[in-house]
Amino acid sequence: ETGVTQTPRHLVMGMTNKKSLKCEQHLGHNAMYWYKQSAKKPLELMFVYNFKEQTENNSVPSRFSPECPNSSHLFLHLHTLQPEDSALYLCASSQLKGGDEKLFFGSGTQLSVL
Amino acid sequence: ELKVEQNPLFLSMQEGKNYTIYCNYSTTSDRLYWYRQDPGKSLESLFVLLSNGAVKQEGRLMASLDTKARLSTLHITAAVHDLSATYFCAVDLSLYSSASKIIFGSGTRLSIRP
């Protein structure tokens, strides 16, 4: 248990659906991240939030919409996705300026887009 | 463009042997990380290397960093089956900013056979 909880663990959705991924961290960290892990590419950084403010949007299509209401919660809202968006979506958190700033990852949401 | 390159990408080795995984990166960074991922699981932090010449060891794994050469190595000593996993190196680009931007290599899939 890393202290970062993601739900759901698995999600199957159609291209016209709207769904949301949820991440919660219990570590008191001040930064949260979304990464995408697909079979054919390295882990891709999608979004970074620092003290609830988005500091990085790594050219992610607008069909992915992040939300960070507070430093413990992070959402990824999904709409009109494409089959190539099927992947494992990993949430992570870290403590900035507090030491080594290593990432603590959740277990991920395995997303399948039909 | 930042590149984080690992080699080899796949490694099959016998128990009891030694081997090294290499991680080259193309831009200045003051933090390098090694992570482990077991099949179907999330990523687990192994090492954080914060300075040139840093060396860290945990059990049969030892990581080192040469910031001048932009090279890190993960050395496996007397491999055992339990070390079979995918190993990722990651580089933090946020030298002067307040937020982490951690970019991952493609991973090295390590398989250790009896």
Side-chain angles (χ1 to χ4, degrees), chain A residues 33 35 37 42 45 48 50 55-56 90 96-97 99-103 105-107, chain B residues 31 33 35 37 42-43 45 48 88 92 97-106:
Chain A
Y33 310 76
Y35 280 87
Q37 187 177 32
L45 178 62
V48 181
N50 174 8
T55 57
E56 186 73 27
L90 291 164
L96 298 179
K97 306 306 178 189
D100 56 32
E101 302 182 15
K102 65 183 179 184
L103 298 175
F105 282 89
S107 299
Chain B
R31 285 184 180 82
Y33 305 85
Y35 287 85
Q37 186 177 35
S42 191
L43 279 80
S45 176
V48 182
F88 293 92
D92 191 341
S97 70
S98 60
S100 286
K101 182 176 178 179
I102 299 175
I103 305 299
F104 284 76
S106 301

PDB file of all heavy atoms in Angstrom, chain A residues 33 35 37 42 45 48 50 55-56 90 96-97 99-103 105-107, chain B residues 31 33 35 37 42-43 45 48 88 92 97-106:
ATOM      1  N   TYR A  33       0.123  13.891  -9.925  1.00  0.00           N
ATOM      2  CA  TYR A  33       0.471  13.681 -11.333  1.00  0.00           C
ATOM      3  C   TYR A  33      -0.453  12.643 -11.962  1.00  0.00           C
ATOM      4  O   TYR A  33      -0.883  11.692 -11.294  1.00  0.00           O
ATOM      5  CB  TYR A  33       1.906  13.129 -11.451  1.00  0.00           C
ATOM      6  CG  TYR A  33       2.953  13.880 -10.677  1.00  0.00           C
ATOM      7  CD1 TYR A  33       3.066  13.726  -9.298  1.00  0.00           C
ATOM      8  CD2 TYR A  33       3.841  14.739 -11.322  1.00  0.00           C
ATOM      9  CE1 TYR A  33       4.038  14.413  -8.579  1.00  0.00           C
ATOM     10  CE2 TYR A  33       4.813  15.421 -10.610  1.00  0.00           C
ATOM     11  CZ  TYR A  33       4.898  15.254  -9.245  1.00  0.00           C
ATOM     12  OH  TYR A  33       5.864  15.930  -8.537  1.00  0.00           O
ATOM     13  N   TYR A  35      -0.055   9.965 -15.178  1.00  0.00           N
ATOM     14  CA  TYR A  35       0.778   9.355 -16.195  1.00  0.00           C
ATOM     15  C   TYR A  35      -0.059   8.348 -16.971  1.00  0.00           C
ATOM     16  O   TYR A  35      -0.964   7.719 -16.424  1.00  0.00           O
ATOM     17  CB  TYR A  35       1.957   8.586 -15.576  1.00  0.00           C
ATOM     18  CG  TYR A  35       3.123   9.438 -15.149  1.00  0.00           C
ATOM     19  CD1 TYR A  35       3.152  10.021 -13.888  1.00  0.00           C
ATOM     20  CD2 TYR A  35       4.203   9.650 -15.997  1.00  0.00           C
ATOM     21  CE1 TYR A  35       4.231  10.794 -13.484  1.00  0.00           C
ATOM     22  CE2 TYR A  35       5.293  10.423 -15.610  1.00  0.00           C
ATOM     23  CZ  TYR A  35       5.293  10.988 -14.348  1.00  0.00           C
ATOM     24  OH  TYR A  35       6.366  11.751 -13.952  1.00  0.00           O
ATOM     25  N   GLN A  37       0.349   4.845 -19.221  1.00  0.00           N
ATOM     26  CA  GLN A  37       1.257   3.750 -19.573  1.00  0.00           C
ATOM     27  C   GLN A  37       0.569   2.844 -20.589  1.00  0.00           C
ATOM     28  O   GLN A  37      -0.402   2.174 -20.259  1.00  0.00           O
ATOM     29  CB  GLN A  37       1.676   2.950 -18.347  1.00  0.00           C
ATOM     30  CG  GLN A  37       2.745   1.907 -18.657  1.00  0.00           C
ATOM     31  CD  GLN A  37       3.222   1.160 -17.422  1.00  0.00           C
ATOM     32  OE1 GLN A  37       2.482   0.944 -16.475  1.00  0.00           O
ATOM     33  NE2 GLN A  37       4.503   0.778 -17.414  1.00  0.00           N
ATOM     34  N   PRO A  42       6.746   4.486 -23.670  1.00  0.00           N
ATOM     35  CA  PRO A  42       7.158   4.647 -22.270  1.00  0.00           C
ATOM     36  C   PRO A  42       6.077   5.379 -21.479  1.00  0.00           C
ATOM     37  O   PRO A  42       5.168   5.962 -22.072  1.00  0.00           O
ATOM     38  CB  PRO A  42       8.410   5.515 -22.357  1.00  0.00           C
ATOM     39  CG  PRO A  42       8.794   5.553 -23.780  1.00  0.00           C
ATOM     40  CD  PRO A  42       7.586   5.260 -24.580  1.00  0.00           C
ATOM     41  N   LEU A  45       4.109  11.442 -19.135  1.00  0.00           N
ATOM     42  CA  LEU A  45       3.581  12.421 -18.191  1.00  0.00           C
ATOM     43  C   LEU A  45       2.454  13.196 -18.870  1.00  0.00           C
ATOM     44  O   LEU A  45       2.629  13.725 -19.965  1.00  0.00           O
ATOM     45  CB  LEU A  45       4.687  13.371 -17.759  1.00  0.00           C
ATOM     46  CG  LEU A  45       4.303  14.491 -16.809  1.00  0.00           C
ATOM     47  CD1 LEU A  45       3.796  13.947 -15.490  1.00  0.00           C
ATOM     48  CD2 LEU A  45       5.480  15.425 -16.591  1.00  0.00           C
ATOM     49  N   VAL A  48       0.607  17.753 -14.275  1.00  0.00           N
ATOM     50  CA  VAL A  48       1.214  17.933 -12.958  1.00  0.00           C
ATOM     51  C   VAL A  48       0.455  19.024 -12.234  1.00  0.00           C
ATOM     52  O   VAL A  48       0.182  20.084 -12.813  1.00  0.00           O
ATOM     53  CB  VAL A  48       2.701  18.343 -13.070  1.00  0.00           C
ATOM     54  CG1 VAL A  48       3.309  18.506 -11.667  1.00  0.00           C
ATOM     55  CG2 VAL A  48       3.491  17.330 -13.876  1.00  0.00           C
ATOM     56  N   ASN A  50       0.712  21.277  -8.674  1.00  0.00           N
ATOM     57  CA  ASN A  50       1.549  21.701  -7.568  1.00  0.00           C
ATOM     58  C   ASN A  50       0.708  22.605  -6.691  1.00  0.00           C
ATOM     59  O   ASN A  50       0.296  23.679  -7.140  1.00  0.00           O
ATOM     60  CB  ASN A  50       2.769  22.437  -8.130  1.00  0.00           C
ATOM     61  CG  ASN A  50       3.630  23.040  -7.053  1.00  0.00           C
ATOM     62  OD1 ASN A  50       3.442  22.811  -5.864  1.00  0.00           O
ATOM     63  ND2 ASN A  50       4.601  23.820  -7.469  1.00  0.00           N
ATOM     64  N   THR A  55       0.612  22.845 -13.272  1.00  0.00           N
ATOM     65  CA  THR A  55       1.882  23.398 -13.716  1.00  0.00           C
ATOM     66  C   THR A  55       2.402  22.736 -14.973  1.00  0.00           C
ATOM     67  O   THR A  55       3.396  23.180 -15.542  1.00  0.00           O
ATOM     68  CB  THR A  55       2.952  23.256 -12.610  1.00  0.00           C
ATOM     69  OG1 THR A  55       3.064  21.865 -12.270  1.00  0.00           O
ATOM     70  CG2 THR A  55       2.571  24.046 -11.384  1.00  0.00           C
ATOM     71  N   GLU A  56       1.752  21.692 -15.413  1.00  0.00           N
ATOM     72  CA  GLU A  56       2.218  20.995 -16.603  1.00  0.00           C
ATOM     73  C   GLU A  56       1.035  20.358 -17.309  1.00  0.00           C
ATOM     74  O   GLU A  56       0.221  19.688 -16.686  1.00  0.00           O
ATOM     75  CB  GLU A  56       3.228  19.900 -16.211  1.00  0.00           C
ATOM     76  CG  GLU A  56       3.893  19.206 -17.390  1.00  0.00           C
ATOM     77  CD  GLU A  56       4.915  20.084 -18.073  1.00  0.00           C
ATOM     78  OE1 GLU A  56       5.482  20.963 -17.403  1.00  0.00           O
ATOM     79  OE2 GLU A  56       5.153  19.891 -19.281  1.00  0.00           O
ATOM     80  N   LEU A  90      -1.975   6.010 -14.473  1.00  0.00           N
ATOM     81  CA  LEU A  90      -1.370   5.985 -13.149  1.00  0.00           C
ATOM     82  C   LEU A  90      -1.376   7.371 -12.530  1.00  0.00           C
ATOM     83  O   LEU A  90      -0.987   8.349 -13.173  1.00  0.00           O
ATOM     84  CB  LEU A  90       0.076   5.486 -13.232  1.00  0.00           C
ATOM     85  CG  LEU A  90       0.259   4.014 -13.582  1.00  0.00           C
ATOM     86  CD1 LEU A  90       1.683   3.742 -14.024  1.00  0.00           C
ATOM     87  CD2 LEU A  90      -0.105   3.145 -12.396  1.00  0.00           C
ATOM     88  N   LEU A  96       7.060  18.176  -2.823  1.00  0.00           N
ATOM     89  CA  LEU A  96       8.028  19.061  -3.444  1.00  0.00           C
ATOM     90  C   LEU A  96       8.812  19.814  -2.390  1.00  0.00           C
ATOM     91  O   LEU A  96       8.283  20.196  -1.355  1.00  0.00           O
ATOM     92  CB  LEU A  96       7.315  20.068  -4.345  1.00  0.00           C
ATOM     93  CG  LEU A  96       6.540  19.479  -5.520  1.00  0.00           C
ATOM     94  CD1 LEU A  96       5.879  20.582  -6.303  1.00  0.00           C
ATOM     95  CD2 LEU A  96       7.455  18.666  -6.416  1.00  0.00           C
ATOM     96  N   LYS A  97      10.110  20.013  -2.684  1.00  0.00           N
ATOM     97  CA  LYS A  97      10.995  20.801  -1.826  1.00  0.00           C
ATOM     98  C   LYS A  97      11.061  20.239  -0.420  1.00  0.00           C
ATOM     99  O   LYS A  97      11.333  20.929   0.537  1.00  0.00           O
ATOM    100  CB  LYS A  97      10.531  22.268  -1.749  1.00  0.00           C
ATOM    101  CG  LYS A  97      10.374  22.919  -3.085  1.00  0.00           C
ATOM    102  CD  LYS A  97      11.617  22.807  -3.938  1.00  0.00           C
ATOM    103  CE  LYS A  97      11.413  23.438  -5.302  1.00  0.00           C
ATOM    104  NZ  LYS A  97      12.531  23.146  -6.218  1.00  0.00           N
ATOM    105  N   GLY A  99      12.690  17.105   0.118  1.00  0.00           N
ATOM    106  CA  GLY A  99      13.644  16.009   0.174  1.00  0.00           C
ATOM    107  C   GLY A  99      13.912  15.464  -1.198  1.00  0.00           C
ATOM    108  O   GLY A  99      14.209  16.215  -2.120  1.00  0.00           O
ATOM    109  N   ASP A 100      13.782  14.161  -1.361  1.00  0.00           N
ATOM    110  CA  ASP A 100      14.141  13.590  -2.653  1.00  0.00           C
ATOM    111  C   ASP A 100      13.028  13.671  -3.687  1.00  0.00           C
ATOM    112  O   ASP A 100      13.250  13.377  -4.843  1.00  0.00           O
ATOM    113  CB  ASP A 100      14.607  12.142  -2.479  1.00  0.00           C
ATOM    114  CG  ASP A 100      13.570  11.272  -1.785  1.00  0.00           C
ATOM    115  OD1 ASP A 100      12.362  11.522  -1.952  1.00  0.00           O
ATOM    116  OD2 ASP A 100      13.974  10.335  -1.079  1.00  0.00           O
ATOM    117  N   GLU A 101      11.842  14.022  -3.264  1.00  0.00           N
ATOM    118  CA  GLU A 101      10.706  14.262  -4.156  1.00  0.00           C
ATOM    119  C   GLU A 101      10.378  13.073  -5.038  1.00  0.00           C
ATOM    120  O   GLU A 101       9.921  13.237  -6.173  1.00  0.00           O
ATOM    121  CB  GLU A 101      10.982  15.510  -5.024  1.00  0.00           C
ATOM    122  CG  GLU A 101      11.226  16.734  -4.155  1.00  0.00           C
ATOM    123  CD  GLU A 101      11.449  18.001  -4.940  1.00  0.00           C
ATOM    124  OE1 GLU A 101      11.154  18.026  -6.144  1.00  0.00           O
ATOM    125  OE2 GLU A 101      11.915  18.981  -4.348  1.00  0.00           O
ATOM    126  N   LYS A 102      10.584  11.872  -4.550  1.00  0.00           N
ATOM    127  CA  LYS A 102      10.258  10.708  -5.363  1.00  0.00           C
ATOM    128  C   LYS A 102       8.755  10.556  -5.452  1.00  0.00           C
ATOM    129  O   LYS A 102       7.999  11.037  -4.600  1.00  0.00           O
ATOM    130  CB  LYS A 102      10.886   9.451  -4.784  1.00  0.00           C
ATOM    131  CG  LYS A 102      10.363   9.039  -3.431  1.00  0.00           C
ATOM    132  CD  LYS A 102      11.114   7.817  -2.929  1.00  0.00           C
ATOM    133  CE  LYS A 102      10.621   7.392  -1.554  1.00  0.00           C
ATOM    134  NZ  LYS A 102      11.416   6.264  -1.028  1.00  0.00           N
ATOM    135  N   LEU A 103       8.323   9.893  -6.506  1.00  0.00           N
ATOM    136  CA  LEU A 103       6.907   9.687  -6.757  1.00  0.00           C
ATOM    137  C   LEU A 103       6.408   8.433  -6.040  1.00  0.00           C
ATOM    138  O   LEU A 103       7.079   7.408  -6.025  1.00  0.00           O
ATOM    139  CB  LEU A 103       6.665   9.520  -8.255  1.00  0.00           C
ATOM    140  CG  LEU A 103       7.021  10.697  -9.155  1.00  0.00           C
ATOM    141  CD1 LEU A 103       6.837  10.313 -10.619  1.00  0.00           C
ATOM    142  CD2 LEU A 103       6.184  11.907  -8.819  1.00  0.00           C
ATOM    143  N   PHE A 105       3.247   5.960  -6.442  1.00  0.00           N
ATOM    144  CA  PHE A 105       2.236   5.661  -7.437  1.00  0.00           C
ATOM    145  C   PHE A 105       1.067   4.897  -6.842  1.00  0.00           C
ATOM    146  O   PHE A 105       1.232   4.070  -5.941  1.00  0.00           O
ATOM    147  CB  PHE A 105       2.829   4.812  -8.568  1.00  0.00           C
ATOM    148  CG  PHE A 105       3.650   5.585  -9.546  1.00  0.00           C
ATOM    149  CD1 PHE A 105       5.003   5.776  -9.334  1.00  0.00           C
ATOM    150  CD2 PHE A 105       3.072   6.119 -10.693  1.00  0.00           C
ATOM    151  CE1 PHE A 105       5.765   6.498 -10.243  1.00  0.00           C
ATOM    152  CE2 PHE A 105       3.824   6.832 -11.603  1.00  0.00           C
ATOM    153  CZ  PHE A 105       5.176   7.027 -11.380  1.00  0.00           C
ATOM    154  N   GLY A 106      -0.108   5.146  -7.401  1.00  0.00           N
ATOM    155  CA  GLY A 106      -1.259   4.306  -7.149  1.00  0.00           C
ATOM    156  C   GLY A 106      -1.202   3.058  -8.006  1.00  0.00           C
ATOM    157  O   GLY A 106      -0.280   2.881  -8.811  1.00  0.00           O
ATOM    158  N   SER A 107      -2.198   2.197  -7.841  1.00  0.00           N
ATOM    159  CA  SER A 107      -2.223   0.930  -8.567  1.00  0.00           C
ATOM    160  C   SER A 107      -2.682   1.082 -10.009  1.00  0.00           C
ATOM    161  O   SER A 107      -2.550   0.153 -10.801  1.00  0.00           O
ATOM    162  CB  SER A 107      -3.134  -0.068  -7.853  1.00  0.00           C
ATOM    163  OG  SER A 107      -2.637  -0.320  -6.550  1.00  0.00           O
TER     164      SER A 107
ATOM    165  N   ARG B  31      18.301  15.157 -10.462  1.00  0.00           N
ATOM    166  CA  ARG B  31      17.679  14.023  -9.776  1.00  0.00           C
ATOM    167  C   ARG B  31      17.447  12.903 -10.763  1.00  0.00           C
ATOM    168  O   ARG B  31      16.908  13.115 -11.846  1.00  0.00           O
ATOM    169  CB  ARG B  31      16.320  14.414  -9.179  1.00  0.00           C
ATOM    170  CG  ARG B  31      16.401  15.241  -7.950  1.00  0.00           C
ATOM    171  CD  ARG B  31      15.010  15.489  -7.378  1.00  0.00           C
ATOM    172  NE  ARG B  31      15.084  16.289  -6.178  1.00  0.00           N
ATOM    173  CZ  ARG B  31      15.196  17.605  -6.174  1.00  0.00           C
ATOM    174  NH1 ARG B  31      15.209  18.259  -7.307  1.00  0.00           N
ATOM    175  NH2 ARG B  31      15.281  18.262  -5.036  1.00  0.00           N
ATOM    176  N   TYR B  33      15.972   8.785 -10.773  1.00  0.00           N
ATOM    177  CA  TYR B  33      15.235   7.793  -9.995  1.00  0.00           C
ATOM    178  C   TYR B  33      15.298   6.443 -10.700  1.00  0.00           C
ATOM    179  O   TYR B  33      15.349   6.371 -11.934  1.00  0.00           O
ATOM    180  CB  TYR B  33      13.759   8.189  -9.872  1.00  0.00           C
ATOM    181  CG  TYR B  33      13.514   9.566  -9.311  1.00  0.00           C
ATOM    182  CD1 TYR B  33      13.539  10.686 -10.135  1.00  0.00           C
ATOM    183  CD2 TYR B  33      13.221   9.752  -7.963  1.00  0.00           C
ATOM    184  CE1 TYR B  33      13.297  11.951  -9.626  1.00  0.00           C
ATOM    185  CE2 TYR B  33      12.972  11.011  -7.452  1.00  0.00           C
ATOM    186  CZ  TYR B  33      13.010  12.109  -8.284  1.00  0.00           C
ATOM    187  OH  TYR B  33      12.766  13.355  -7.779  1.00  0.00           O
ATOM    188  N   TYR B  35      12.913   2.896 -10.629  1.00  0.00           N
ATOM    189  CA  TYR B  35      11.668   2.297 -10.169  1.00  0.00           C
ATOM    190  C   TYR B  35      11.605   0.862 -10.651  1.00  0.00           C
ATOM    191  O   TYR B  35      12.189   0.499 -11.673  1.00  0.00           O
ATOM    192  CB  TYR B  35      10.451   3.049 -10.734  1.00  0.00           C
ATOM    193  CG  TYR B  35      10.206   4.397 -10.112  1.00  0.00           C
ATOM    194  CD1 TYR B  35      10.873   5.531 -10.574  1.00  0.00           C
ATOM    195  CD2 TYR B  35       9.316   4.549  -9.053  1.00  0.00           C
ATOM    196  CE1 TYR B  35      10.664   6.767  -9.999  1.00  0.00           C
ATOM    197  CE2 TYR B  35       9.090   5.788  -8.476  1.00  0.00           C
ATOM    198  CZ  TYR B  35       9.771   6.885  -8.954  1.00  0.00           C
ATOM    199  OH  TYR B  35       9.559   8.100  -8.376  1.00  0.00           O
ATOM    200  N   GLN B  37       8.693  -2.260 -11.532  1.00  0.00           N
ATOM    201  CA  GLN B  37       7.283  -2.578 -11.757  1.00  0.00           C
ATOM    202  C   GLN B  37       7.144  -4.076 -11.996  1.00  0.00           C
ATOM    203  O   GLN B  37       7.722  -4.622 -12.941  1.00  0.00           O
ATOM    204  CB  GLN B  37       6.717  -1.803 -12.953  1.00  0.00           C
ATOM    205  CG  GLN B  37       5.216  -1.992 -13.131  1.00  0.00           C
ATOM    206  CD  GLN B  37       4.645  -1.159 -14.268  1.00  0.00           C
ATOM    207  OE1 GLN B  37       5.305  -0.952 -15.289  1.00  0.00           O
ATOM    208  NE2 GLN B  37       3.416  -0.692 -14.119  1.00  0.00           N
ATOM    209  N   SER B  42       1.771  -1.623  -9.827  1.00  0.00           N
ATOM    210  CA  SER B  42       2.206  -0.252 -10.035  1.00  0.00           C
ATOM    211  C   SER B  42       3.727  -0.130  -9.873  1.00  0.00           C
ATOM    212  O   SER B  42       4.421  -1.132  -9.700  1.00  0.00           O
ATOM    213  CB  SER B  42       1.492   0.662  -9.047  1.00  0.00           C
ATOM    214  OG  SER B  42       1.705   2.004  -9.398  1.00  0.00           O
ATOM    215  N   LEU B  43       4.225   1.079  -9.921  1.00  0.00           N
ATOM    216  CA  LEU B  43       5.659   1.307  -9.819  1.00  0.00           C
ATOM    217  C   LEU B  43       6.059   1.542  -8.376  1.00  0.00           C
ATOM    218  O   LEU B  43       5.376   2.248  -7.641  1.00  0.00           O
ATOM    219  CB  LEU B  43       6.061   2.535 -10.651  1.00  0.00           C
ATOM    220  CG  LEU B  43       6.226   2.312 -12.144  1.00  0.00           C
ATOM    221  CD1 LEU B  43       4.883   2.316 -12.842  1.00  0.00           C
ATOM    222  CD2 LEU B  43       7.144   3.353 -12.739  1.00  0.00           C
ATOM    223  N   SER B  45       9.314   2.801  -5.947  1.00  0.00           N
ATOM    224  CA  SER B  45      10.589   3.515  -5.956  1.00  0.00           C
ATOM    225  C   SER B  45      11.703   2.645  -5.370  1.00  0.00           C
ATOM    226  O   SER B  45      11.534   2.025  -4.320  1.00  0.00           O
ATOM    227  CB  SER B  45      10.459   4.801  -5.138  1.00  0.00           C
ATOM    228  OG  SER B  45      11.692   5.463  -5.056  1.00  0.00           O
ATOM    229  N   VAL B  48      16.827   7.012  -5.284  1.00  0.00           N
ATOM    230  CA  VAL B  48      16.862   8.396  -5.718  1.00  0.00           C
ATOM    231  C   VAL B  48      18.317   8.840  -5.653  1.00  0.00           C
ATOM    232  O   VAL B  48      18.962   8.706  -4.609  1.00  0.00           O
ATOM    233  CB  VAL B  48      16.017   9.304  -4.805  1.00  0.00           C
ATOM    234  CG1 VAL B  48      16.046  10.740  -5.313  1.00  0.00           C
ATOM    235  CG2 VAL B  48      14.593   8.797  -4.714  1.00  0.00           C
ATOM    236  N   PHE B  88      12.640   0.856 -14.443  1.00  0.00           N
ATOM    237  CA  PHE B  88      12.597   2.138 -15.136  1.00  0.00           C
ATOM    238  C   PHE B  88      13.551   3.119 -14.480  1.00  0.00           C
ATOM    239  O   PHE B  88      13.618   3.199 -13.255  1.00  0.00           O
ATOM    240  CB  PHE B  88      11.197   2.758 -15.046  1.00  0.00           C
ATOM    241  CG  PHE B  88      10.126   2.008 -15.779  1.00  0.00           C
ATOM    242  CD1 PHE B  88       9.379   1.039 -15.137  1.00  0.00           C
ATOM    243  CD2 PHE B  88       9.841   2.292 -17.107  1.00  0.00           C
ATOM    244  CE1 PHE B  88       8.380   0.341 -15.794  1.00  0.00           C
ATOM    245  CE2 PHE B  88       8.837   1.609 -17.781  1.00  0.00           C
ATOM    246  CZ  PHE B  88       8.110   0.630 -17.126  1.00  0.00           C
ATOM    247  N   ASP B  92      14.340  13.959 -13.503  1.00  0.00           N
ATOM    248  CA  ASP B  92      13.553  15.132 -13.134  1.00  0.00           C
ATOM    249  C   ASP B  92      14.105  16.337 -13.876  1.00  0.00           C
ATOM    250  O   ASP B  92      15.256  16.723 -13.686  1.00  0.00           O
ATOM    251  CB  ASP B  92      13.624  15.355 -11.626  1.00  0.00           C
ATOM    252  CG  ASP B  92      12.632  16.385 -11.139  1.00  0.00           C
ATOM    253  OD1 ASP B  92      12.147  17.182 -11.976  1.00  0.00           O
ATOM    254  OD2 ASP B  92      12.345  16.399  -9.941  1.00  0.00           O
ATOM    255  N   SER B  97      12.532  25.110 -11.471  1.00  0.00           N
ATOM    256  CA  SER B  97      11.124  25.440 -11.256  1.00  0.00           C
ATOM    257  C   SER B  97      10.657  24.834  -9.948  1.00  0.00           C
ATOM    258  O   SER B  97      11.358  24.079  -9.292  1.00  0.00           O
ATOM    259  CB  SER B  97      10.277  24.918 -12.412  1.00  0.00           C
ATOM    260  OG  SER B  97      10.228  23.506 -12.361  1.00  0.00           O
ATOM    261  N   SER B  98       9.430  25.140  -9.613  1.00  0.00           N
ATOM    262  CA  SER B  98       8.894  24.702  -8.320  1.00  0.00           C
ATOM    263  C   SER B  98       8.149  23.387  -8.416  1.00  0.00           C
ATOM    264  O   SER B  98       7.702  22.857  -7.420  1.00  0.00           O
ATOM    265  CB  SER B  98       7.954  25.773  -7.784  1.00  0.00           C
ATOM    266  OG  SER B  98       6.892  25.966  -8.686  1.00  0.00           O
ATOM    267  N   ALA B  99       7.993  22.866  -9.618  1.00  0.00           N
ATOM    268  CA  ALA B  99       7.216  21.635  -9.769  1.00  0.00           C
ATOM    269  C   ALA B  99       8.068  20.569 -10.432  1.00  0.00           C
ATOM    270  O   ALA B  99       8.920  20.860 -11.257  1.00  0.00           O
ATOM    271  CB  ALA B  99       5.980  21.904 -10.613  1.00  0.00           C
ATOM    272  N   SER B 100       7.822  19.353 -10.064  1.00  0.00           N
ATOM    273  CA  SER B 100       8.566  18.245 -10.656  1.00  0.00           C
ATOM    274  C   SER B 100       8.017  17.905 -12.033  1.00  0.00           C
ATOM    275  O   SER B 100       6.812  17.927 -12.255  1.00  0.00           O
ATOM    276  CB  SER B 100       8.462  17.015  -9.756  1.00  0.00           C
ATOM    277  OG  SER B 100       9.268  17.173  -8.616  1.00  0.00           O
ATOM    278  N   LYS B 101       8.912  17.616 -12.949  1.00  0.00           N
ATOM    279  CA  LYS B 101       8.522  17.088 -14.259  1.00  0.00           C
ATOM    280  C   LYS B 101       9.425  15.892 -14.480  1.00  0.00           C
ATOM    281  O   LYS B 101      10.562  16.031 -14.926  1.00  0.00           O
ATOM    282  CB  LYS B 101       8.716  18.146 -15.343  1.00  0.00           C
ATOM    283  CG  LYS B 101       8.273  17.669 -16.712  1.00  0.00           C
ATOM    284  CD  LYS B 101       8.399  18.773 -17.745  1.00  0.00           C
ATOM    285  CE  LYS B 101       7.993  18.273 -19.132  1.00  0.00           C
ATOM    286  NZ  LYS B 101       8.099  19.353 -20.140  1.00  0.00           N
ATOM    287  N   ILE B 102       8.935  14.727 -14.130  1.00  0.00           N
ATOM    288  CA  ILE B 102       9.741  13.516 -14.131  1.00  0.00           C
ATOM    289  C   ILE B 102       9.411  12.699 -15.366  1.00  0.00           C
ATOM    290  O   ILE B 102       8.268  12.296 -15.575  1.00  0.00           O
ATOM    291  CB  ILE B 102       9.507  12.712 -12.843  1.00  0.00           C
ATOM    292  CG1 ILE B 102       9.919  13.571 -11.629  1.00  0.00           C
ATOM    293  CG2 ILE B 102      10.299  11.417 -12.877  1.00  0.00           C
ATOM    294  CD1 ILE B 102       9.625  12.933 -10.304  1.00  0.00           C
ATOM    295  N   ILE B 103      10.438  12.460 -16.165  1.00  0.00           N
ATOM    296  CA  ILE B 103      10.280  11.766 -17.437  1.00  0.00           C
ATOM    297  C   ILE B 103      10.932  10.390 -17.328  1.00  0.00           C
ATOM    298  O   ILE B 103      12.065  10.271 -16.848  1.00  0.00           O
ATOM    299  CB  ILE B 103      10.934  12.561 -18.578  1.00  0.00           C
ATOM    300  CG1 ILE B 103      10.380  13.982 -18.615  1.00  0.00           C
ATOM    301  CG2 ILE B 103      10.726  11.857 -19.915  1.00  0.00           C
ATOM    302  CD1 ILE B 103       8.890  14.078 -18.848  1.00  0.00           C
ATOM    303  N   PHE B 104      10.222   9.376 -17.815  1.00  0.00           N
ATOM    304  CA  PHE B 104      10.663   8.001 -17.681  1.00  0.00           C
ATOM    305  C   PHE B 104      11.320   7.463 -18.941  1.00  0.00           C
ATOM    306  O   PHE B 104      10.964   7.853 -20.063  1.00  0.00           O
ATOM    307  CB  PHE B 104       9.475   7.105 -17.324  1.00  0.00           C
ATOM    308  CG  PHE B 104       9.050   7.215 -15.887  1.00  0.00           C
ATOM    309  CD1 PHE B 104       8.327   8.320 -15.444  1.00  0.00           C
ATOM    310  CD2 PHE B 104       9.387   6.235 -14.976  1.00  0.00           C
ATOM    311  CE1 PHE B 104       7.953   8.443 -14.116  1.00  0.00           C
ATOM    312  CE2 PHE B 104       9.008   6.341 -13.643  1.00  0.00           C
ATOM    313  CZ  PHE B 104       8.291   7.440 -13.215  1.00  0.00           C
ATOM    314  N   GLY B 105      12.240   6.543 -18.756  1.00  0.00           N
ATOM    315  CA  GLY B 105      12.759   5.755 -19.851  1.00  0.00           C
ATOM    316  C   GLY B 105      11.771   4.661 -20.234  1.00  0.00           C
ATOM    317  O   GLY B 105      10.706   4.520 -19.616  1.00  0.00           O
ATOM    318  N   SER B 106      12.122   3.899 -21.261  1.00  0.00           N
ATOM    319  CA  SER B 106      11.205   2.877 -21.786  1.00  0.00           C
ATOM    320  C   SER B 106      11.106   1.647 -20.894  1.00  0.00           C
ATOM    321  O   SER B 106      10.202   0.841 -21.060  1.00  0.00           O
ATOM    322  CB  SER B 106      11.669   2.421 -23.172  1.00  0.00           C
ATOM    323  OG  SER B 106      11.722   3.503 -24.057  1.00  0.00           O
TER     324      SER B 106
END
